[in-house]
Amino acid sequence: MKSGLTSWVCKVAVCLTLITAACTQAPVRIIDEPPYAFNASPVENSIFSQYAPIFIPQRYEKRYNRIGEAKARYTSDDTGEEIYIDPTTPVFYVQQQPFETEAGERYLNLIYRIHFEEVPYSLSPFHLTAGKNGGLFIITTINENNQPVLITTVHTCGCYLAILPTSYLPPQAYPEHWSDEQEVFGERLPGVLRFPAVFDFRYRPGVFLRDGTHRVMNVEVIDASTLASSYRVVAAELRPMEALKQLPLPDNNATSFYHNTGRHQGYVKNAVKPLELLLMSWWTFDLHIGSDKELGNKNETGSVFYTSLKPWNRNASDMWNFPHFLSFWGWKL
């Protein structure tokens, strides 16, 4: 019995060591000079382009660090479909989500979804999230005065959540004991994003992405009108989120980015993360751990977009039910 307990403790220790290594990151440093920045296409003129985040990858020259377009094709042996990300065409997939808090305050979420070809396998640094088709959500929450009050970042598997208040959010809405800096599994992010006293659409969140893992390693308020003076700008197309459910196939048919039925329903096709499955599934009680998924009503998608690893918090931390999600994480909107 004692031997079995010792063995179990050793296994947990090894897993935690690997996970800690994966989450301990080097300081923010952009390799490219001048750096590249993905920005919403200037031909767009919508609420999504007005508030669109700007993405700055750490190493643009690596294909896997480039935001891409979700595509579908048949496998070379014609045995089925293959979903993949084409890094030659950057796309921001977008949707709106209005919500109302218990206090009667009304807000609007602008949801931006981006995807990458892969997180490459690596031992040093260790990439726990290695696998294909991974992505990231940036959610801008605006109030009735059209001011962004929260910027939420989370990977499309529900991991590495960060909620960043802006200077337009009253301090009484913050969680208890909030500080000027927050640590998210090894990444240090600002506690507050400082916007001008009078909101101006020129100022938008700049999201700095780490090489390989695409972790959010910093967020800054950037003047988009002067972006070209400091960055090499890459224009990204804005497409509705529903476009992910109608990806064209070569024979004029279409398929979904997600599994529509079965035990994988709601999860992105070809997005299994083997290392997370091996090291984390047994203690999180989730064989889909690390797999990217659809964000939506769990009764329609078939999967819960949970943001807490504790199994008993699955429904309470579901990001689609945004007022309850915020309350769960201590926010008082």
Side-chain angles (χ1 to χ4, degrees):
M1 182 71 176
K2 184 176 180 180
S3 174
L5 179 61
T6 302
S7 175
W8 185 85
V9 170
C10 288
K11 290 177 182 177
V12 172
V14 169
C15 289
L16 290 177
T17 299
L18 290 171
I19 291 169
T20 301
C23 297
T24 302
Q25 304 289 0
V28 174
R29 187 167 71 92
I30 300 299
I31 308 299
D32 303 309
E33 289 296 340
Y36 288 83
F38 290 94
N39 190 26
S41 172
V43 301
E44 302 282 353
N45 185 19
S46 67
I47 189 172
F48 291 111
S49 60
Q50 289 176 321
Y51 290 91
I54 299 162
F55 296 95
I56 301 96
Q58 194 173 27
R59 297 188 66 175
Y60 176 85
E61 82 276 8
K62 301 291 186 181
R63 282 174 55 96
Y64 51 70
N65 288 328
R66 300 178 190 176
I67 297 169
E69 175 188 11
K71 288 187 174 181
R73 61 192 173 198
Y74 292 114
T75 56
S76 56
D77 57 4
D78 292 327
T79 57
E81 303 167 359
E82 180 184 13
I83 297 297
Y84 67 102
I85 303 300
D86 178 1
T88 65
T89 310
V91 177
F92 299 172
Y93 296 94
V94 297
Q95 73 181 114
Q96 297 186 30
Q97 180 197 37
F99 69 93
E100 184 174 336
T101 65
E102 291 184 0
E105 299 289 337
R106 294 179 180 176
Y107 297 90
L108 177 66
N109 277 345
L110 300 177
I111 304 172
Y112 300 84
R113 180 174 190 141
I114 61 173
H115 276 268
F116 302 90
E117 187 177 42
E118 65 173 340
V119 171
Y121 288 88
S122 172
L123 289 177
S124 182
F126 178 60
H127 290 174
L128 176 68
T129 57
K132 294 184 180 297
N133 296 349
L136 185 70
F137 280 114
I138 303 294
I139 300 178
T140 298
T141 302
I142 58 178
N143 62 17
E144 291 184 281
N145 295 321
N146 297 319
Q147 299 167 321
V149 293
L150 291 175
I151 306 296
T152 301
T153 78
V154 65
H155 287 236
T156 51
C157 58
C159 53
Y160 303 127
L161 169 72
I163 303 173
L164 289 75
T166 76
S167 47
Y168 301 123
L169 185 70
Q172 58 266 30
Y174 291 19
E176 299 293 333
H177 311 298
W178 193 253
S179 66
D180 289 336
E181 185 180 69
Q182 56 177 312
E183 183 172 343
V184 182
F185 293 97
E187 299 289 4
R188 296 188 177 277
L189 303 179
V192 182
L193 292 176
R194 304 288 177 185
F195 279 80
V198 178
F199 178 64
D200 188 317
F201 286 117
R202 290 180 300 167
Y203 295 95
R204 294 191 266 128
V207 183
F208 293 78
L209 303 178
R210 191 166 292 285
D211 172 34
T213 61
H214 316 128
R215 291 284 310 278
V216 174
M217 58 183 184
N218 192 25
V219 182
E220 297 178 0
V221 177
I222 290 179
D223 182 349
S225 68
T226 63
L227 194 64
S229 64
S230 302
Y231 297 90
R232 287 177 277 188
V233 181
V234 181
E237 183 182 344
L238 296 173
R239 292 186 192 170
M241 200 75 70
E242 285 298 308
L244 288 169
K245 296 183 178 180
Q246 289 293 321
L247 301 182
L249 283 163
D251 58 359
N252 294 322
N253 286 319
T255 189
S256 176
F257 193 52
Y258 316 102
H259 291 281
N260 292 325
T261 58
R263 61 189 181 91
H264 301 303
Q265 184 180 351
Y267 288 88
V268 174
K269 296 173 181 176
N270 307 117
V272 175
K273 308 297 165 48
L275 296 177
E276 288 190 82
L277 177 65
L278 175 66
L279 296 174
M280 299 178 66
S281 61
W282 53 276
W283 59 269
T284 59
F285 300 101
D286 185 6
L287 291 175
H288 288 103
I289 189 72
S291 295
D292 304 270
K293 64 187 84 169
E294 183 178 1
L295 176 63
N297 186 316
K298 62 184 180 182
N299 296 323
E300 298 173 4
T301 66
S303 61
V304 179
F305 199 92
Y306 66 84
T307 53
S308 170
L309 285 175
K310 297 175 181 176
W312 50 90
N313 287 335
R314 295 264 160 91
N315 289 317
S317 68
D318 182 359
M319 197 170 71
W320 182 249
N321 190 338
F322 211 75
H324 290 177
F325 159 82
L326 290 176
S327 180
F328 172 80
W329 289 110
W331 297 88
K332 309 177 187 70
L333 271 67

